[in-house]
């Protein structure tokens, strides 16, 4: 794939050879597959292309979160071959006009209500190459003027939040609502981020963004993922807990959103899954992460949970990490309740309640998970490609 103005293959997929040799070889193979995927262009696997705006509504206790997702061309970074785990559908053209976007949002805004309104696209809603900045501005004005939501969250990429944009939103908002930006770091360890090819962002950029948003009275939400490839279950637990520690220490007022890794179609992760290079995470691992976080009273960040099996994407098929329906029902219910309260003691009580209910299950999944942790102790599956 050699296009004028594009980085060469070697530049895009430079492998850190200080890593274990087998892992480096595996990453090269994956990168080679990604190059072929880019050269052949992405399959148009998006469903429901008649949707202009897709609404997800989730009730967490007394807290109602409404996600408004605008259909676009898709993520520009996905087109460049980034983020092996992520795909919301990439197409060659999107013929939706500015007025159609605004009319569709205005219609939905009359119908929906809740505490938190999340604005998002199929990539980064503040990326001008994906979503018209004037349309975004008009939509923000409508959201700010609407009286039904006290918080507006904007989901986008770290590199697509300029000071000019933040100033414009602050001027528009005039402290009427709480405004926050939600971005995907996935892991605070740069070496771990390489395992899903989450490239092009540095922790220093996050620190600078956090300081800027604080200046304008806005919040920063940081997404972390449980279930990275080339890690044992214990390493997955440790990586998320360590990321939370890093954020707590350096960005004490940032919000944290914990995700369960799923395998989306038409991604490198799907190729890794079908090739035997990736085993989906054990969902009890995210419960263990939560247990460790709740046992540390030094953590002061607001922590919520998302994509833990409580919702589906209308455009892209994905495989979740749940293999047992009983465990899924119990764990999904637990995290829904966790999102319904931010009281630390109440959350600890919910955790105790979860384990009490787990004793009634006959599947044995949790016991198998604990044995899995014992077996993984001292082992590193990065050596077992």
């Amino acid at each position: 794939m050699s296009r004028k103005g594009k980085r060469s293959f070697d530049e895009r997929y430079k492998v850190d050879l200080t890593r274990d040799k087998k892992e480096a070889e595996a990453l090269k193979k994956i990168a080679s597959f990604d190059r072929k995927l880019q050269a052949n262009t992405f399959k148009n696997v998006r469903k429901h292309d008649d949707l202009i705006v897709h609404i997800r509504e989730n009730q967490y206790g007394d807290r109602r979160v409404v996600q408004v997702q605008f259909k676009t061309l898709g993520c520009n970074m996905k087109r460049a071959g980034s983020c092996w785990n992520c795909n919301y559908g990439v197409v060659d053209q999107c013929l939706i006009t500015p007025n159609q976007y605004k009319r569709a949002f205005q219609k939905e805004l009359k119908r929906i209500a809740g505490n938190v309104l999340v604005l998002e696209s199929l990539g980064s809603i503040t990326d001008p190459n994906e979503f018209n900045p004037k349309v975004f501005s008009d939509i923000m004005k409508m959201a700010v003027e609407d009286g039904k939501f006290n918080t507006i969250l904007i989901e986008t990429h770290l590199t697509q939040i300029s000071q000019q944009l933040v100033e414009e939103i602050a001027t528009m908002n005039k402290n009427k609502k709480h405004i926050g930006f939600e971005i995907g770091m996935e892991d605070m360890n740069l070496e771990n981020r390489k395992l899903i090819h989450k490239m092009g962002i540095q922790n220093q950029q996050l620190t600078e963004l956090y300081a800027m948003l604080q200046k304008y009275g806005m919040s920063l939400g940081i997404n972390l993922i449980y279930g990275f490839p080339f890690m044992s279950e214990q390493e997955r637990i440790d990586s998320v807990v360590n990321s939370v520690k890093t954020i707590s220490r350096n960005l004490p007022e940032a919000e944290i959103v914990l995700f369960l890794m799923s395998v989306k179609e038409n991604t490198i992760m799907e190729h890794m899954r079908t090739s035997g290079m990736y085993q989906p995470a054990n969902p009890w691992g995210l419960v263990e992460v939560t247990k460790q976080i709740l046992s540390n009273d030094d953590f002061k960040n607001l922590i919520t949970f998302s994509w833990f099996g409580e919702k589906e994407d209308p455009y892209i098929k994905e495989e979740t990490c749940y293999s047992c329906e009983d465990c899924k029902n119990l764990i999904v219910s637990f995290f829904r309740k966790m999102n319904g309260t931010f009281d630390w003691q109440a959350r600890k009580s919910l955790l105790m309640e979860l384990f009490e209910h787990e004793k009634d299950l006959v599947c044995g999944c949790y016991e198998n998970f604990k044995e899995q942790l014992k077996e993984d102790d001292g082992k590193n599956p990065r050596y077992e490609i």
Side-chain angles (χ1 to χ4, degrees):
M1 176 177 167
S2 59
R3 298 177 184 172
K4 189 175 181 180
K6 295 284 187 181
R7 289 179 299 158
S8 70
F9 170 72
D10 290 336
E11 288 174 324
R12 288 174 61 207
Y13 297 113
K14 186 177 181 181
V15 177
D16 183 356
L17 295 178
T18 61
R19 290 171 172 271
D20 176 80
K21 184 178 178 181
K22 288 186 177 180
E23 181 184 334
E25 290 174 355
L27 289 174
K28 282 184 177 179
K29 289 179 182 178
I30 296 167
S32 176
F33 181 83
D34 193 22
R35 178 177 64 168
K36 293 176 184 177
L37 192 63
Q38 301 303 322
N40 294 324
T41 71
F42 285 96
K43 295 175 290 184
N44 182 2
V45 293
R46 290 209 315 223
K47 285 81 174 175
H48 299 293
D49 261 6
D50 55 321
L51 291 176
I52 294 177
V53 177
H54 174 243
I55 305 293
R56 292 188 186 91
E57 301 180 72
N58 271 285
Q59 189 74 38
Y60 305 117
D62 295 330
R63 181 170 164 265
R64 190 170 187 79
V65 178
V66 181
Q67 291 175 263
V68 178
Q69 184 180 51
F70 293 88
K71 189 182 75 173
T72 61
L73 286 169
C75 180
N76 278 308
M77 280 152 280
K78 178 65 181 175
R79 290 171 177 276
S82 184
C83 298
W84 289 340
N85 62 301
C86 189
N87 178 26
Y88 285 99
V90 179
V91 292
D92 293 327
Q93 62 179 353
C94 182
L95 302 178
I96 303 170
T97 67
N99 283 335
Q100 285 176 316
Y101 277 125
K102 288 184 284 188
R103 283 198 301 268
F105 179 64
Q106 195 169 39
K107 179 181 176 181
E108 294 294 345
L109 197 56
K110 291 177 181 177
R111 181 185 66 81
I112 58 179
N115 307 97
V116 180
L117 179 68
V118 185
L119 300 177
E120 57 190 51
S121 65
L122 296 179
S124 303
I125 196 168
T126 62
D127 181 350
N129 293 315
E130 180 186 350
F131 199 70
N132 186 310
K134 180 64 168 61
V135 175
F136 175 72
S137 178
D138 290 341
I139 284 167
M140 275 298 300
K141 287 175 184 175
M142 285 187 256
V144 165
E145 293 303 321
D146 184 82
K148 290 177 287 188
F149 295 91
N150 50 39
T151 295
I152 301 173
L153 299 181
I154 302 160
E155 191 172 286
T156 190
H157 194 269
L158 171 64
T159 60
Q160 300 299 324
I161 308 172
S162 66
Q163 183 164 341
Q164 179 182 353
L165 172 67
V166 173
E167 286 178 349
E168 288 174 359
I169 292 174
T171 301
M172 176 194 308
N173 185 44
K174 296 183 174 66
N175 295 318
K176 294 174 185 173
K177 311 237 175 177
H178 172 72
I179 305 290
F181 285 85
E182 186 175 327
I183 57 101
M185 290 296 286
E186 323 314 359
D187 195 292
M188 291 301 291
N189 185 314
L190 175 61
E191 290 302 307
N192 288 345
R193 289 201 293 268
K194 290 179 181 178
L195 298 178
I196 58 169
H197 204 248
K198 181 75 177 183
M199 312 297 277
I201 57 173
Q202 302 294 327
N203 288 357
Q204 181 57 36
Q205 292 173 283
L206 185 69
T207 302
E208 292 167 358
L209 174 61
Y210 172 77
M212 180 179 69
L213 293 178
Q214 290 256 298
K215 176 183 173 183
Y216 288 93
M218 299 182 190
S219 65
L220 175 65
I222 302 169
N223 297 340
L224 303 175
I225 294 181
Y226 179 83
F228 269 51
F230 305 111
M231 286 185 177
S232 70
E233 218 64 50
Q234 185 61 59
E235 287 175 313
R236 287 167 170 170
I237 293 167
D238 293 341
S239 70
V240 177
V241 172
N242 288 335
S243 289
V244 172
K245 287 180 180 178
T246 299
I247 295 169
S248 179
R249 183 171 58 249
N250 299 302
L251 313 168
E253 294 184 36
E255 299 172 9
I256 300 171
V257 188
L258 301 184
F259 285 63
L260 263 177
M261 181 79 83
S262 63
V263 180
K264 293 184 174 68
E265 63 180 332
N266 198 31
T267 61
I268 298 302
M269 288 284 288
E270 182 186 50
H271 168 68
M272 292 167 64
R273 170 70 166 138
T274 57
S275 301
M277 287 188 283
Y278 177 70
Q279 181 64 35
N282 192 316
W284 283 103
L286 186 60
V287 174
E288 178 62 27
V289 166
T290 306
K291 178 182 175 182
Q292 292 192 27
I293 290 171
L294 290 175
S295 67
N296 191 330
D297 292 332
D298 292 334
F299 293 154
K300 303 301 180 185
N301 302 75
L302 172 63
I303 298 176
T304 56
F305 305 85
S306 189
W307 290 100
F308 49 84
E310 85 285 20
K311 52 193 172 186
E312 296 180 354
D313 187 85
Y315 299 106
I316 299 296
K317 184 176 71 175
E318 59 186 322
E319 175 190 358
T320 68
C321 61
Y322 291 98
S323 57
C324 171
E325 198 65 25
D326 290 337
C327 286
K328 178 177 181 178
N329 292 335
L330 185 61
I331 293 173
V332 168
S333 175
F334 165 68
F335 283 121
R336 279 189 176 279
K337 292 174 183 175
M338 290 288 283
N339 277 347
T341 177
F342 299 141
D343 180 83
W344 211 249
Q345 292 305 316
R347 286 185 160 191
K348 287 182 178 181
S349 296
L350 288 172
L351 185 67
M352 293 174 61
E353 179 184 302
L354 168 71
F355 286 120
E356 284 300 315
H357 287 307
E358 184 279 326
K359 293 176 183 177
D360 297 330
L361 299 181
V362 296
C363 58
C365 292
Y366 182 59
E367 293 303 316
N368 291 337
F369 166 70
K370 290 192 289 186
E371 288 300 315
Q372 184 180 4
L373 292 187
K374 290 180 184 178
E375 293 172 5
D376 285 344
D377 188 29
K379 293 183 181 179
N380 186 338
R382 296 180 182 183
Y383 296 6
E384 300 169 5
I385 304 301

